[in-house]
Amino acid sequence: GGMGGMGGRQRRGPSRGPQKGADLQCEAEFPFELAAFGGEWSVQVRREEVCTTCTGMGVKKDVTTPTCRTCNGSGVTVQVMQTPLGVMQTQQACPACGSSGIDPSAVCQDCRGKGTKPQVKEVPVKVPAGCDNGNQLRVRGDGDKGTKGGPAGDLYIAVKVKPSPEFQREGFDIYTETSISIFDAILGTVIQVKTIEGPAEIKVPAGTQPETRMRIKGRGVPKLGRKGEQGDHYITIKVEVPRKLDAEQTAKVEELRALSKAGS
């Protein structure tokens, strides 16, 4: 699997109720065949996991009244000032609890009151058939874990597809090259071609020109989100001209050249 980064995290103000975990973003590189046909893959992600010491509550388990006594759990203190314009009230973050509303002595020491701790996790991902570079996959509930019973965020995976040494992919179509002899190009032949689904036979007609592109319909990549539909496989025909001929071959080719001149 690929190592995920931490992205899309939002800083949140103090909250004493259930809080949803942040959404995360990472990039993962999938093997060529997996991206084409789909399947299971695991991605490593660094994310916030629920603190096992305080079960995500941020306070010690044995504390009966974790509320800050200075602000009565509000997280703010109010100052009343007499000014020439009258009485003025100002609110500021509670200096005793740092606006958390929790008594400092009751805070879980393992997660420092946060309710979660960062960990690296293997996340199983269902890769859909036909996904490609630039696609984004969403895995619900696999972002940061929530605190105080809040739901987890989602994980967004930017897709990268590992190139294949044999196949070139453009969208849902596959492109390859194959070479035939000049004699097969003149007379026509049947050749076997490797596709992403295995071998296929194609008929090369007589008189095929170099760089001719032939198509095998429906032997490309399954189309993302369109069940039962596939792209095509295109083969570019390269024609090999022999560098050396023996005496008998040379005589035959010269005879053929003479016949073609006489016929033109």
Side-chain angles (χ1 to χ4, degrees), residues 36-37 129-130 168-175 195-197 214-224 226-234:
F37 296 111
Q168 188 183 336
R169 178 179 168 184
E170 286 181 28
F172 302 116
D173 295 328
I174 295 289
Y175 293 85
T195 75
I196 58 170
E197 290 183 324
M214 304 186 74
R215 180 175 76 150
I216 309 175
K217 195 168 167 57
R219 293 297 286 266
V221 176
K223 294 187 177 180
L224 183 66
R226 286 150 72 178
K227 205 171 180 181
E229 289 186 41
Q230 279 179 247
D232 301 325
H233 186 122
Y234 292 92

Side-chain angles (χ1 to χ4, degrees), residues 66-105:
T67 306
C68 174
R69 290 185 291 273
T70 306
C71 64
N72 290 321
S74 68
V76 292
T77 54
V78 178
Q79 281 189 323
V80 181
M81 289 168 63
Q82 188 72 42
T83 70
L85 299 170
V87 178
M88 248 180 100
Q89 283 192 357
T90 55
Q91 273 193 358
Q92 64 180 36
C94 174
C97 67
S99 80
S100 71
I102 298 167
D103 191 300
S105 65

Side-chain angles (χ1 to χ4, degrees), residues 193-211:
V193 174
K194 189 175 179 182
T195 75
I196 58 170
E197 290 183 324
E201 277 194 348
I202 58 163
K203 189 179 179 184
V204 179
T208 293
Q209 300 299 306
E211 304 300 319

Side-chain angles (χ1 to χ4, degrees), residues 1-152:
M3 182 67 188
M6 290 183 290
R9 226 185 265 280
Q10 294 176 347
R11 289 184 66 86
R12 300 175 187 272
S15 170
R16 284 163 291 284
Q19 196 152 344
K20 186 180 185 288
D23 292 340
L24 297 182
Q25 288 182 324
C26 73
E27 189 179 77
E29 188 177 60
F30 301 129
F32 187 87
E33 288 78 12
L34 181 79
F37 296 111
E40 291 273 342
W41 194 251
S42 67
V43 176
Q44 272 195 345
V45 180
R46 185 178 171 85
R47 68 182 182 196
E48 293 291 327
E49 289 288 322
V50 173
C51 174
T52 51
T53 309
C54 66
T55 62
M57 301 311 287
V59 293
K60 292 173 183 173
K61 281 183 180 176
D62 55 355
V63 176
T64 48
T65 50
T67 306
C68 174
R69 290 185 291 273
T70 306
C71 64
N72 290 321
S74 68
V76 292
T77 54
V78 178
Q79 281 189 323
V80 181
M81 289 168 63
Q82 188 72 42
T83 70
L85 299 170
V87 178
M88 248 180 100
Q89 283 192 357
T90 55
Q91 273 193 358
Q92 64 180 36
C94 174
C97 67
S99 80
S100 71
I102 298 167
D103 191 300
S105 65
V107 170
C108 172
Q109 293 306 299
D110 219 14
C111 65
R112 300 180 185 273
K114 196 176 174 186
T116 58
K117 292 170 72 179
Q119 282 184 349
V120 174
K121 286 282 183 182
E122 289 273 343
V123 177
V125 179
K126 280 186 177 176
V127 181
C131 73
D132 203 356
N133 289 309
N135 289 159
Q136 190 178 60
L137 305 181
R138 180 187 185 186
V139 189
R140 291 180 186 274
D142 270 311
D144 279 346
K145 292 291 183 272
T147 55
K148 297 181 175 67

